[in-house]
Structure formats: C-alpha cells, structure tokens
Amino acid sequence: MGNLVAIVGRPNVGKSTLFNRLVGGRVAIVDDFSGVTRDRHYGQSEWIGKTFTVVDTGGFVPESEDVFESAINSQVKIAVEESDVIIFMVDVSAGITSLDKSAADLLRRSKKPVLLVVNKVDNGDRQYEAAVFYGLGFDKLYCLSSASGSGTGDLLDDVVAHLPPAPADEEETETVPVSRLPRIAVVGRPNVGKSSLVNALLGEDRNIVTEIAGTTRDSIHTEYKAFGHHFTLVDTAGIRRKTKVKEDIEFYSVMRSLRALEDCDVSILVIDATVGIDAQDMNLVHLAVRNGKGLVILVNKWDLIEKTHKTSLEFEKVIRKKLEPFDDVPILFTSVHEKQRIFKAVEVAMKVHANRTKRIPTHKLNDIMLPFIAKYPPPAIKGKFVKIKFITQLPGHTNPKFAFFCNLPKYVNESYKRYLENKIRESFDFQGVPISIYMREK
C-alpha cells in the first residue's frame, strides 16, 4: 500500500520548490520519459528506505485572485481526505495571513498528522520571526529553506515516522500471498470514460459482483468474477462528489488515481482518443513504472475518430514514442460507449498480471542471456573489462528484478542495462511490466 503526502498552503510560499527538492533531484537523474518533468504535480520520494508519493497541490490552484480562497480551502479538504500526512507550508517573510488562518482551521480539525513548515528561514533573525506561527495552533514548527534544503532532514524524519507501516502481505517476501486476488485499477484524467468502463464491466450483471467488507476508505474495491476471470477492481471513478470548481474535479481525480495506482498490481490507464496522451497521463505512466506496476493503455472514444486503415497504427506509434524507453506496453483502442473491446481490456490486464508475477528458472535465464552477453559484452571503461558470469531473478512479488553478477558492477552503463532489458523482453514475454536490472559483484 502506498503512502500519500500532500504539500498544501497558499500560493508563492515555496511549495513547488520543496516538492522539487523531495522528488525532482532523483527524478532528473533516474528518468528519461519525455514530458514528465514539465507540468508535474506528483512524484515519488524516498527517505531512510521508505518510499512515498508527494503531491504538490499548488499545481491545481486557479490563477485568478478571487477564487484563491475557495479553491485552496477545497483542496485542503481533499488533501485531508486523501493523504496520510499533510505538510502545511507558510512563508516567514509574509507573517500569518487570512488564507493561512482559514487553512489552519481546516487542518486542525482533521484527524491527520499535519506538519507546519515555515519556509524561507535562512538566517538567525528569521528563525526568531518564525515563532509567530505558533499562533496557528500547532505544537511544532519546522523551520526550513526549501531553496537551500536546510531543515528538510528533520521534516522528512517526522514525515516517514507518521506513515502507516506496510501491511504484512505487501512486504517483500519469497512468495505471493495466496489469499490476495490480483488488483486492477482504472486510472486517468477526468472525463475520459473511467466511470463508463467500470460500469460496463460491473453493471451488466450485478450478481457477479460482491462488495468486500472492511476495505480501505481510499477507493472502492470490488470483487469481479466473470468470463473466467477473478480479480479485485480498484475503482477510483465510483466515488461521487459534489464539486463546484473545475479544478477541484481535476485535483480530486488525480488524488484518487494516485491512491489506486499505489494500491494495485496492474493499472489500466484510460486516455481520450480525441485528446491523445498528454503530460498528466505521462505522469501517471511514470508513477506506475516507478512503483513497478503493470500497465495497459486504453484509448477510449475511438468511435469519435475519423479513421483510415492506418489511423490506429499511427496513433499507436505516437504513444509508443512518448512512452520510451518503456514502450513494451499493450495499447487497446476501445469505445466504452459502443461496448467495443472492453472485455479484451480485462483479458490483457490479466495477462500483464501473469507477466508481472512470472518467474524465469535460473538455468534458462543463463542459457539464453549469456550468449547475448558473449556476442556483445559491456564496453570497456578506462581499460577495464566487465565480465558477467551469472544471472538470476530476484525473489519478491513486485515487478521482475534481475541480478547480473560481474567483476566490476559500477562500470556497467545505463545503455548496456537497456540492451540487457531488451534481450530479456525479446526472449520472455514481459509486456506491460517494468523490469529492474541490478549489477552485483560476484
């Protein structure tokens, strides 16, 4: 089960700078998805071995002055409802404003852990000025400068201390828990057809559905048993909410999708054929990959597109180009409205789940991969030659992880790891599943 940490506060207090500090540095190094860092409001962070998803609510606040207050208040309410921990940010140079007070009132009434962060504290005088924020009614202040990073360590220590522990069945173990059904989540932006897809899957024959008692408040878990398939549908679309502001719907939908993504084994990302795959869709792809989740892309509203015999091929090519380097993903063209290929989506998602839990015997892995390595060995660096002797798949029930044992692991570059991944994909079917490659000293 994933953990959500939301950064809330009025505009221009430095939320995005803190967000970038928590996720940006790592993201810039490890990911080369196109269109990911731009327009990015959520990402993964890690501190002392605990990973969590950080949401920068600032990206969802409208620009015009008069709707600031209502928009911020509604977002604080959504963040309180959806997050495990809330970072409430204020600006030492501005003192306490009326927006800070109204947000603090909402947060104090919540039952969630709220960490009050006073930003832009970069000298002794400002440390002294920060004390005024005790007036907002919280027991502890975290003085930090999100620009320089000072003070973030203490804050993160307390953030992870408040995160719920991983349930026993989710921790890395040798075997997958027998009792747990595959979890498939339908995610995507508002108005792409998520609700219609879920209703089409569940609504036809209600007796195939049993509500599971005692599941989390985060998203609706429904047991699905029909057409030879048995899994849990993690439904984000099924929770209705009265919303006044368009931005709220977007923000709420994103929070729901993040929750479901972290709670599932395979995600079906629904995109709108009339819009194509955009930066927010790419963020969800990126998060699925970072979390090691299976992925199926469903291009919905295909009935609204004027088509020739080449249209779907061209559309698919554009999507795969955007997905690089992880482009080994099933892409289906559907019309939920016309009931076209929606059960095919279930079949493909279950196939991706089987790929995600697949184990390759060690002897087979070595028989197939060592000849590829002999034919194209890792390039020599500084006159040193890397020799890979042995390969094994690591235990655990998240995404497939492979360890390559060699004499000089640190000399193996990313492009060679990509070559190894491509050869694994060519030899064994891992479509829709992120693969992790580790170099270990033998």
Side-chain angles (χ1 to χ4, degrees):
M1 173 63 188
N3 297 307
L4 269 185
V5 176
I7 307 174
V8 302
R10 61 188 180 75
N12 305 323
V13 292
K15 296 190 295 296
S16 298
T17 315
L18 177 63
F19 170 81
N20 289 338
R21 182 158 289 284
L22 297 186
V23 304
R26 282 176 72 245
V27 167
I29 295 162
V30 295
D31 289 302
D32 38 16
F33 283 108
S34 54
V36 162
T37 42
R38 199 180 65 245
D39 188 24
R40 181 80 181 284
H41 309 310
Y42 35 92
Q44 232 190 7
S45 187
E46 185 179 342
W47 188 251
I48 55 172
K50 262 196 175 180
T51 52
F52 51 94
T53 298
V54 188
V55 184
D56 170 19
T57 61
F60 301 92
V61 169
E63 290 302 311
S64 69
E65 288 294 326
D66 53 334
V67 282
F68 264 155
E69 188 148 6
S70 64
I72 288 166
N73 284 352
S74 61
Q75 287 187 7
V76 167
K77 283 175 189 158
I78 294 169
V80 164
E81 226 170 275
E82 299 301 315
S83 310
D84 297 297
V85 177
I86 295 150
I87 295 174
F88 173 34
M89 203 168 210
V90 292
D91 176 356
V92 70
S93 58
I96 295 179
T97 68
S98 59
L99 276 179
D100 294 333
K101 280 182 184 164
S102 61
D105 287 344
L106 285 168
L107 290 168
R108 273 201 318 273
R109 289 199 292 271
S110 80
K111 299 282 184 284
K112 296 285 169 75
V114 178
L115 308 180
L116 175 60
V117 168
V118 186
N119 193 24
K120 306 181 189 175
V121 179
D122 43 22
N123 59 41
D125 291 345
R126 290 199 154 178
Q127 197 97 27
Y128 177 72
E129 288 162 24
V132 70
F133 288 97
Y134 279 112
L136 291 174
F138 296 96
D139 297 339
K140 187 172 178 181
L141 297 181
Y142 298 83
C143 293
L144 61 88
S145 164
S146 56
S148 72
S150 69
T152 43
D154 293 345
L155 171 67
L156 284 168
D157 285 345
D158 284 3
V159 166
V160 297
H162 283 298
L163 293 175
D169 76 330
E170 303 254 338
E171 286 166 5
E172 283 291 308
T173 52
E174 292 276 335
T175 54
V176 181
V178 180
S179 60
R180 211 186 98 171
L181 290 172
R183 289 182 190 165
I184 295 177
V186 178
V187 300
R189 301 194 66 173
N191 307 320
V192 291
K194 298 191 298 292
S195 312
S196 311
L197 173 63
V198 169
N199 292 342
L201 290 175
L202 300 181
E204 293 301 309
D205 184 2
R206 273 286 162 191
N207 64 8
I208 64 176
V209 172
T210 49
E211 291 298 333
I212 301 164
T215 47
T216 55
R217 56 171 179 79
D218 312 314
S219 33
I220 295 172
H221 291 53
T222 314
E223 195 174 330
Y224 179 99
K225 194 173 186 179
F227 308 107
H229 297 298
H230 192 192
F231 60 89
T232 301
L233 192 66
V234 183
D235 171 19
T236 55
I239 293 150
R240 294 286 173 269
R241 207 186 144 78
K242 293 189 181 88
T243 39
K244 297 184 204 71
V245 190
K246 183 182 148 290
E247 282 82 1
D248 288 2
I249 301 168
E250 173 79 357
F251 181 50
Y252 197 66
S253 179
V254 164
M255 293 290 271
R256 285 279 175 213
S257 286
L258 295 184
R259 265 282 172 221
L261 249 182
E262 301 218 330
D263 213 14
C264 73
D265 300 307
V266 177
S267 48
I268 298 177
L269 172 64
V270 184
I271 66 173
D272 184 333
T274 61
V275 176
I277 192 163
D278 66 8
Q280 290 287 24
D281 295 323
M282 284 306 301
N283 289 341
L284 290 170
V285 167
H286 163 89
L287 216 62
V289 173
R290 295 285 302 125
N291 280 315
K293 308 298 185 184
L295 180 66
V296 177
I297 292 180
L298 220 60
V299 183
N300 189 30
K301 307 187 186 178
W302 194 238
D303 53 316
L304 303 180
I305 298 287
E306 283 190 31
K307 295 179 276 292
T308 68
H309 63 291
K310 285 186 175 168
T311 312
S312 63
L313 286 173
E314 285 161 3
F315 206 99
E316 187 173 322
K317 206 169 161 186
V318 170
I319 293 176
R320 291 200 190 284
K321 184 76 192 141
K322 283 198 174 184
L323 293 176
E324 284 176 353
F326 178 51
D327 56 3
D328 186 17
V329 175
I331 299 170
L332 296 176
F333 295 87
T334 66
S335 164
V336 175
H337 181 65
E338 305 284 330
K339 301 272 194 292
Q340 277 176 348
R341 290 183 285 281
I342 51 174
F343 294 104
K344 176 80 175 160
V346 171
E347 271 170 36
V348 171
M350 291 302 280
K351 175 75 175 75
V352 167
H353 179 263
N355 290 350
R356 188 171 179 260
T357 50
K358 185 186 288 180
R359 304 274 316 154
I360 309 294
T362 301
H363 68 89
K364 194 174 179 185
L365 202 53
N366 284 274
D367 290 349
I368 287 175
M369 291 301 294
L370 288 175
F372 286 130
I373 293 164
K375 193 174 174 185
Y376 177 50
I381 295 180
K382 298 178 187 170
K384 294 184 190 290
F385 291 91
V386 180
K387 293 183 175 65
I388 296 172
K389 298 287 190 197
F390 178 74
I391 308 132
T392 186
Q393 186 173 353
L394 298 171
H397 66 271
T398 57
N399 63 312
K401 297 177 168 69
F402 297 93
F404 288 73
F405 290 88
C406 61
N407 55 338
L408 299 163
K410 63 177 182 292
Y411 286 112
V412 180
N413 62 24
E414 284 306 312
S415 61
Y416 192 77
K417 287 183 189 172
R418 187 114 353 110
Y419 165 76
L420 294 175
E421 179 181 331
N422 290 340
K423 290 299 171 193
I424 289 174
R425 288 188 184 281
E426 276 173 32
S427 311
F428 311 100
D429 181 7
F430 282 111
Q431 192 184 32
V433 182
I435 289 175
S436 305
I437 303 265
Y438 299 98
M439 292 292 157
R440 298 263 169 93
E441 201 154 353
K442 66 175 191 290

